[in-house]
Amino acid sequence: MEIAEHLQLLDIEGRLLAAAAERAGIDARVPTCPGWQIRDLLRHTGMVHRWAAEFVAREHTSYHPDGGLPDLDGEPLLDWFREGHAHLVATLTKAPSDVACWAFLPAPTPLAFWARRQAHETTVHRVDAQSALTTTPDPIARDVALDGIEELLFGFHGRKKSRVRSDEPRVLRILATDADAAWTVRISPDPPTTERGAAGDADCELAGPAARLYLSLWNRLPFPSLTGDASVAALWRERRRSPGADRPDARAGQASCSSIRPSTARCSGRTSACRSRPFDVRQTRTPRRSSLHMPRSTSPSFSRRPMRRDSALWLRWTCAAISCTRNPDVPSSAAPSASTSRTSKSLAPRPC
């Protein structure tokens, strides 16, 4: 996909996300991101949009922290999200093709990187927003899904910080049944390596339509079809640090906005000075803790509530077939052994 196509996708998906959020309501739970409500999704995605726009607008050539989550709710939060999304689209559209700024994945140019990354960031979170509705989320075009799978496998998991590793060498095959596309992922104690094609044997094969694979690999859906050793797919679910979008680790100088917990730092957005500088990246930060891709809600009204029974059962199910060592709320004894199950039904998506 070209830059213009990514920008068009970013524009459309952001509008769809806002529309779905408005229809669902700010308090609606997001099934694809357990523990999140629509307000958390808007705060996170809107913050990422502003963070991305700053690199291109100000031509930052090194990592800069984001501006934190806004202390907004209701209609003002929706307006804030729409404003930031429009600003990002306009910034990337007006930027010169040779703009020099920081990026964290390989790309022909920094502008190509940010257009692609934010297009997929917003697409996945649009699906999150629409999952809060009673209707089925809008479909994802095959070419978009194929491009997103390539970014995930060759970009995110081509980095040294990828956690998809195994002491014993394993081979994961990913096959798009609606396209002439396949990928072979070799997992070892080192970062995984991916090559296009289906040459050689594989320990586990994931097959299905490109759009379904795209969302499954981002831990939004169960795998459409699984053959072979289910523990290899379980390894992906357990070790894959996926949101969005992926947020940076300042110390590593790399980023993954969907992979770690967003900062708990907040910008109130209530003072005239803050409203007059809606896109400034604020430097005040609180330490982040490494966690799963999606955080628990940072909304005080939600985060202090006891876990509802249905939420606890959903979380227990999502941890099936893996050892939930990263979630202290779920005992490892609750998860059945992956070796006893060879179907994708046992591999429900991890909490974002």
Side-chain angles (χ1 to χ4, degrees), residues 10 132 251 260 268 315 339 349:
L10 170 61
R251 288 171 295 182
I260 63 177
S268 68
L315 185 57
S339 62

Side-chain angles (χ1 to χ4, degrees), residues 327-351:
N327 191 338
D329 297 326
V330 182
S332 59
S333 60
S337 170
S339 62
T340 64
S341 175
R342 301 296 183 189
T343 67
S344 60
K345 292 182 181 180
S346 67
L347 297 173
R350 292 279 293 175

Side-chain angles (χ1 to χ4, degrees), residues 26-27 29 34-37 39-40 43 69 71 73 261 264 266 289 295-308 311 329:
I26 212 75
D27 297 319
R29 296 178 183 274
W36 265 23
Q37 295 172 290
R39 60 168 54 85
D40 301 297
R43 288 168 179 167
L69 304 179
D71 188 16
D73 211 344
R261 188 185 300 272
T264 56
R266 293 171 178 265
R289 295 180 298 167
R296 293 185 295 272
S297 171
T298 53
S299 170
S301 62
F302 178 78
S303 61
R304 295 174 186 171
R305 281 183 204 153
M307 179 178 281
R308 290 169 40 131
S311 298
D329 297 326

Side-chain angles (χ1 to χ4, degrees), residues 15-82:
R15 293 173 188 271
L16 290 174
L17 193 162
E22 188 170 32
R23 286 175 56 197
I26 212 75
D27 297 319
R29 296 178 183 274
V30 182
T32 51
C33 301
W36 265 23
Q37 295 172 290
I38 286 293
R39 60 168 54 85
D40 301 297
L41 183 64
L42 290 173
R43 288 168 179 167
H44 165 76
T45 313
M47 176 269 293
V48 171
H49 284 171
R50 285 165 163 75
W51 174 75
E54 284 294 305
F55 286 100
V56 178
R58 298 178 182 270
E59 299 188 16
H60 293 311
T61 56
S62 61
Y63 167 79
H64 278 242
D66 61 61
L69 304 179
D71 188 16
L72 297 172
D73 211 344
E75 193 63 31
L77 178 59
L78 272 166
D79 292 341
W80 176 85
F81 172 82
R82 288 188 170 106

Side-chain angles (χ1 to χ4, degrees), residues 143-182:
D143 290 346
V144 171
L146 293 172
D147 183 67
I149 292 172
E150 294 249 319
E151 183 203 40
L152 181 60
L153 297 179
F154 290 102
F156 285 106
H157 290 289
R159 301 184 297 170
K160 292 182 179 180
K161 68 183 297 183
S162 172
R163 298 179 62 254
V164 179
R165 306 187 186 206
S166 172
D167 292 335
E168 178 186 353
R170 315 303 294 273
V171 178
L172 174 65
R173 176 77 36 73
I174 300 169
L175 177 64
T177 56
D178 59 345
D180 183 19

Side-chain angles (χ1 to χ4, degrees), residues 194-211:
T194 301
E195 56 191 46
R196 296 181 182 89
D201 296 331
D203 297 296
C204 177
E205 180 176 282
L206 306 176

Side-chain angles (χ1 to χ4, degrees), residues 5 169-170 178 190 213 215 225 256 300 347:
E5 295 174 297
R170 315 303 294 273
D178 59 345
D190 299 317
L213 287 172
L215 293 175
S225 173
S256 181
L347 297 173

